[in-house]
C-alpha cells in the first residue's frame, strides 16, 4: 500500500508587495525558485514543493488559499515573507485556509555581506521583520501553525519541514478515510470506547461496524489454490515451524490462516478501508482469531486496533503514514507486563498476537500455539523480537469533550531470550523513569493500547496533534509529576475555554 503517494505536494507561498518595484519582485521570485529547487532535492523532504507566483495583494492571496483548500494533492502550505508583506492582505486568505500551515522564517542569504550591504539589500531581505508582521496576523487569527526558523539550507530546518510534511500527509490521509470494525467493542472495556461522531467531526475519518459474518463469507469464498500460493509465500518470507510446513501435521491451520488473510484483504480492498478492528468476542464463522492476517495487513500499511479499539486503529494508520520510508516501522502495541527490579524497571510490550512485523529485528518465525481466549482453533502467528533503540508510544483517548493524544518517549532495550513466550514482543524503559512515566500516563488516562514506533519522534506527533487540534500530552525527559498535574489541570480549563477564543 502506498502511504506517501508521489503526487502529493505542499505549496510554497512567498509574500512581498509592490513597494520596492518590479526589479525587486523579480529577484524575490528568482530567490524563491532557488529555495524551491533545493527543497525538491532535499532527502529530508518526503513531498514535492510547488512554488506559486510571488504574492503581493489580498485578492491573489485569497485566491491561492481557496485553490489550496480544494486542491486534492495539496496537503498544506508553507509561507515565507521575503520582504515586508503587510499582513492585513493575508487576513481573508488565512481565514479561509483549511489546510495545515507552516510558517518558514528564513532568509535567502545566509550571511550578511558586511562590507557590501546597502539599502537595496536591506529592502530585499526583510524576513526578519516581514515574518514578524505575518506572525502577528497568525496570532491575531489564533491560527494553528508550525513555525520553522533558520536558513533554508540548514539540516535542522529541512528536518523540521520534513517532519511537518509527514504530519500534514497523515492528516490528509485521515480526511475521508474509512475504518471497519468487525464486531463491536470488547464488552465492558472503557478506554477503547469513544464517540465516533465526534471523531468524524474532529478528524475527518469514519468508523463503521460490520457483522463478522460478512467477513466470514469472504474467507469462505477463498479458493484452496489461492491459500496454497500464499502459504508458499509465507515459507519464503518467514521461518516456518516444522508442523506448519507443507506435509507438516498442522499445515491445515496455516491454510486456514492464509484464507483469513485473503478474505480480510478482499474485504478491506473492496470497501476502500485504511484500517480495521477485530474482537475475540465476535469470531463466529472464523476458524481462528486473526493473528498472522492482522500482522501482515498492518505491515502493508493498514491501521489496526484489537478489541474494537478504532481510535488506536486510526492512530496506527496515521503513524504508519508519517513513518513511511523511515527506518523502524510502527505497530499496534499493549503495555503487557513489567520487570520491577529496582533501578532496572522495564515494560514488556506485546499483544495476544497482533504485533506488526515492521518492527522486527530479524526474520520472524511463523508458529502455532494454543490461545486460551476466543474459544477458537489455535491461531497461527508471527513471533519475533525487536531491536534496541529510541522509540515512542502514542495513545489517543476520548475525554468526552475532546480527544487527547499522549506520547511517551521510551528506549527499547536488549532482553534475555524468551523461549517460551509464543508472541511477538518488545521491551522498553520509559522516560524520564519508569515510575514517573507510568504515573503520568495513568493520571492522564492513557490507554493500555498504543502505537509503538522507533521510526518517529515526538516532533512528528506534536506537529500532527497541532494540525489535528488535539490536546498533546508528552511524557519525556522533562516530565515531573508536579508539572504533569498542573499541565493536565490547565488543559482542562483551556479546552473548556478554547471554543470561545475566536479571532474576532
Ligand atoms: Mn488488548
Amino acid at each position: 500500500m502506498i502511504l506517501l503517494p508521489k503526487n502529493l505536494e505542499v505549496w510554497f507561498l512567498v509574500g512581498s508587495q509592490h513597494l520596492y518595484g518590479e526589479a525587486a519582485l523579480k529577484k524575490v521570485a528568482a530567490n524563491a525558485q532557488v529555495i524551491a529547487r533545493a527543497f525538491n532535492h532535499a532527502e529530508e523532504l518526503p513531498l514535492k514543493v510547488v512554488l506559486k507566483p510571488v504574492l503581493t495583494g489580498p485578492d491573489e492571496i485569497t485566491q491561492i488559499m481557496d485553490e489550496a483548500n480544494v486542491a486534492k494533492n495539496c496537503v498544506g502550505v508553507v509561507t515565507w515573507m521575503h520582504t515586508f508583506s503587510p499582513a492585513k492582505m493575508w487576513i481573508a486568505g488565512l481565514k479561509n485556509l483549511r489546510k495545515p500551515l507552516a510558517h518558514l522564517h528564513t532568509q535567502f542569504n545566509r550571511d550578511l555581506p558586511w562590507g557590501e550591504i546597502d539599502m537595496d539589500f536591506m529592502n530585499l531581505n526583510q524576513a526578519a521583520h516581514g515574518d514578524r508582521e505575518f506572525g502577528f496576523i497568525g496570532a491575531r487569527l489564533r491560527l494553528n501553525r508550525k513555525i520553522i526558523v533558520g536558513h533554508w539550507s540548514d539540516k535542522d530546518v529541512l528536518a523540521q519541514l520534513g517532519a511537518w510534511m509527514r504530519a500534514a500527509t497523515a492528516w490528509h490521509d485521515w480526511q475521508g478515510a474509512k475504518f471497519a470494525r468487525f464486531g463491536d467493542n470488547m464488552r465492558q472495556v472503557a478506554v477503547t470506547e469513544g464517540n465516533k461522531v465526534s471523531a468524524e467531526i474532529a478528524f475527518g475519518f469514519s468508523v463503521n461496524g460490520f457483522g463478522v459474518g460478512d467477513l466470514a463469507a469472504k474467507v469462505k469464498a477463498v479458493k484452496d489454490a489461492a491459500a496454497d500460493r500464499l502459504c508458499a509465500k509465507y515459507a519464503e518470507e518467514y521461518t516456518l515451524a516444522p508442523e506448519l510446513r507443507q506435509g507438516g501435521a498442522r499445515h491445515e491451520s496455516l491454510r486456514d490462516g492464509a484464507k483469513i488473510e485473503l478474505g480480510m484483504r478482499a474485504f478491506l480492498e473492496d470497501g476502500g478501508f485504511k484500517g480495521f478492528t477485530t474482537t475475540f468476542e465476535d469470531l463466529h464463522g472464523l476458524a481462528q482469531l486473526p493473528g498472522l492476517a492482522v500482522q501482515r495487513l498492518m505491515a502493508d500499511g493498514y491501521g489496526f486496533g484489537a478489541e474494537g479499539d478504532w481510535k488506536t486503529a486510526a492512530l496506527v494508520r496515521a503513524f504508519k503514514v508519517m513513518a513511511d520510508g523511515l527506518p523502524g516501522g510502527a505497530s499496534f502495541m499493549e503495555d503487557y507486563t513489567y520487570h520491577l527490579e529496582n533501578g532496572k524497571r522495564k515494560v514488556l510490550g506485546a499483544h495476544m498476537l497482533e504485533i506488526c512485523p515492521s518492527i522486527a529485528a530479524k526474520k520472524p518465525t511463523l508458529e502455532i500455539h494454543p490461545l486460551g481466549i476466543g474459544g477458537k482453533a489455535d491461531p497461527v502467528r508471527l513471533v519475533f523480537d525487536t531491536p534496541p533503540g529510541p522509540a515512542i508510544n502514542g495513545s489517543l483517548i476520548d475525554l468526552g469533550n475532546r480527544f487527547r493524544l499522549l506520547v511517551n518517549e521510551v528506549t527499547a532495550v536488549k532482553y534475555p531470550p524468551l523461549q517460551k513466550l509464543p508472541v511477538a514482543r518488545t521491551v522498553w524503559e520509559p522516560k524520564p523513569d519508569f515510575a514517573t512515566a507510568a504515573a503520568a500516563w495513568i493520571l492522564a488516562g492513557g490507554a493500555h493500547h498504543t502505537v509503538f514506533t522507533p521510526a518517529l519522534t515526538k516532533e512528528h506527533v506534536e506537529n500532527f496533534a497541532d494540525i489535528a487540534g488535539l490536546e498533546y500530552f508528552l511524557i519525556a525527559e522533562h516530565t515531573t509529576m508536579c508539572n504533569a498535574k498542573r499541565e493536565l489541570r490547565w488543559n482542562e480549563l483551556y479546552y473548556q475555554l478554547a471554543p470561545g477564543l475566536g479571532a474576532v
Side-chain angles (χ1 to χ4, degrees):
M1 192 185 291
I2 296 163
L3 299 175
L4 276 168
K6 289 275 174 270
N7 63 348
L8 293 185
E9 58 198 33
V10 299
W11 288 8
F12 187 26
L13 307 183
V14 179
S16 188
Q17 61 173 325
H18 284 287
L19 189 64
Y20 319 104
E22 282 311 301
L25 284 177
K26 275 196 181 130
K27 190 72 185 150
V28 168
N31 289 347
Q33 267 175 16
V34 172
I35 296 175
R37 208 173 301 130
F39 283 168
N40 282 318
H41 286 100
E43 59 183 17
E44 293 87 350
L45 305 188
L47 304 182
K48 193 166 52 173
V49 174
V50 176
L51 176 66
K52 296 292 175 181
V54 177
L55 297 162
T56 54
D59 293 343
E60 60 200 73
I61 291 169
T62 308
Q63 189 185 330
I64 201 82
M65 296 300 189
D66 289 345
E67 287 172 16
N69 285 335
V70 295
K72 287 203 162 32
N73 294 341
C74 173
V75 307
V77 302
V78 178
T79 54
W80 168 49
M81 304 305 117
H82 191 308
T83 67
F84 201 77
S85 179
K88 281 162 74 175
M89 300 194 306
W90 290 81
I91 290 175
L94 289 172
K95 267 176 72 185
N96 290 0
L97 181 66
R98 294 192 305 275
K99 295 275 171 88
L101 171 64
H103 179 191
L104 176 64
H105 182 44
T106 191
Q107 180 169 281
F108 183 70
N109 57 301
R110 193 193 67 180
D111 301 337
L112 274 180
W114 300 101
E116 308 296 321
I117 190 165
D118 57 13
M119 281 316 291
D120 285 344
F121 182 93
M122 297 277 277
N123 282 334
L124 191 63
N125 298 283
Q126 297 185 49
H129 61 285
D131 274 330
R132 281 175 161 77
E133 164 75 355
F134 183 82
F136 166 74
I137 211 65
R140 178 65 179 80
L141 291 167
R142 274 75 174 174
L143 288 183
N144 271 340
R145 72 257 197 235
K146 169 79 175 179
I147 299 164
I148 300 168
V149 178
H151 194 253
W152 48 272
S153 66
D154 278 356
K155 288 284 174 198
D156 176 54
V157 166
L158 293 168
Q160 285 186 57
L161 188 55
W164 174 82
M165 282 183 179
R166 288 178 176 279
T169 306
W171 176 250
H172 181 80
D173 180 76
W174 263 11
Q175 306 314 303
K178 296 193 280 181
F179 292 90
R181 301 178 84 212
F182 298 119
D184 195 56
N185 202 58
M186 179 179 167
R187 287 186 279 277
Q188 306 287 12
V189 175
V191 77
T192 49
E193 289 279 13
N195 191 319
K196 300 191 281 293
V197 175
S198 299
E200 188 162 348
I201 293 167
F203 305 134
F205 63 73
S206 65
V207 181
N208 286 290
F210 295 87
V212 75
D214 295 342
L215 173 60
K218 289 272 191 199
V219 172
K220 205 165 168 224
V222 175
K223 300 266 192 305
D224 286 343
D228 287 337
R229 279 197 299 276
L230 187 53
C231 286
K233 208 172 155 198
Y234 293 160
E236 281 170 26
E237 289 184 33
Y238 314 116
T239 306
L240 263 58
E243 57 191 342
L244 291 179
R245 291 176 193 156
Q246 200 169 13
R250 309 192 72 181
H251 182 67
E252 202 53 35
S253 294
L254 189 63
R255 291 178 89 217
D256 286 343
K259 285 183 178 179
I260 292 174
E261 178 184 334
L262 290 166
M264 273 191 147
R265 201 176 281 277
F267 189 101
L268 296 169
E269 283 175 1
D270 290 353
F273 296 104
K274 290 180 173 174
F276 63 104
T277 68
T278 58
T279 171
F280 63 85
E281 287 176 337
D282 196 348
L283 297 173
H284 194 75
L286 297 181
Q288 315 166 3
L289 174 64
L292 173 65
V294 169
Q295 292 179 292
R296 286 175 49 84
L297 287 161
M298 250 195 289
D300 285 345
Y302 286 98
F304 171 76
E307 290 100 48
D309 188 347
W310 54 270
K311 294 192 299 301
T312 305
L315 198 63
V316 168
R317 169 70 182 193
F319 276 36
K320 280 188 172 288
V321 171
M322 284 194 279
D324 191 49
L326 300 174
S331 178
F332 175 71
M333 187 57 69
E334 183 167 294
D335 292 72
Y336 219 114
T337 193
Y338 289 148
H339 179 76
L340 289 181
E341 180 188 356
N342 223 338
K344 297 178 183 173
R345 292 183 283 191
K346 304 173 203 341
V347 183
L348 189 152
H351 204 257
M352 288 186 299
L353 304 169
E354 310 93 333
I355 300 298
C356 178
S358 66
I359 63 169
K362 53 183 198 194
K363 191 174 179 176
T365 56
L366 180 44
E367 305 178 16
I368 183 164
H369 301 277
L371 181 70
I373 290 168
K376 292 285 173 177
D378 297 349
V380 289
R381 81 286 302 274
L382 297 171
V383 179
F384 53 85
D385 292 292
T386 48
I392 55 169
N393 274 320
S395 169
L396 181 61
I397 59 166
D398 184 348
L399 287 170
N401 66 337
R402 68 186 188 278
F403 294 87
R404 171 180 287 160
L405 180 56
L406 294 93
V407 168
N408 188 194
E409 286 191 304
V410 303
T411 307
V413 295
K414 284 187 177 165
Y415 46 91
L418 302 161
Q419 296 103 329
K420 290 191 173 176
L421 187 66
V423 291
R425 62 281 180 139
T426 183
V427 177
W428 66 79
E429 290 171 355
K431 290 184 179 180
D433 59 80
F434 174 86
T436 306
W441 188 272
I442 287 168
L443 186 72
H448 54 290
H449 285 169
T450 59
V451 191
F452 171 88
T453 175
L456 299 176
T457 66
K458 61 188 176 196
E459 188 183 358
H460 294 101
V461 188
E462 185 180 341
N463 286 335
F464 182 74
D466 284 345
I467 290 169
L470 267 164
E471 179 187 354
Y472 173 68
F473 184 69
L474 173 68
I475 301 169
E477 212 56 76
H478 71 280
T479 301
T480 63
M481 280 313 288
C482 179
N483 287 340
K485 275 181 209 167
R486 280 198 292 221
E487 182 179 339
L488 293 170
R489 282 181 188 143
W490 291 340
N491 282 355
E492 285 293 359
L493 278 177
Y494 171 76
Y495 285 95
Q496 287 295 332
L497 298 172
L501 297 173
V504 285

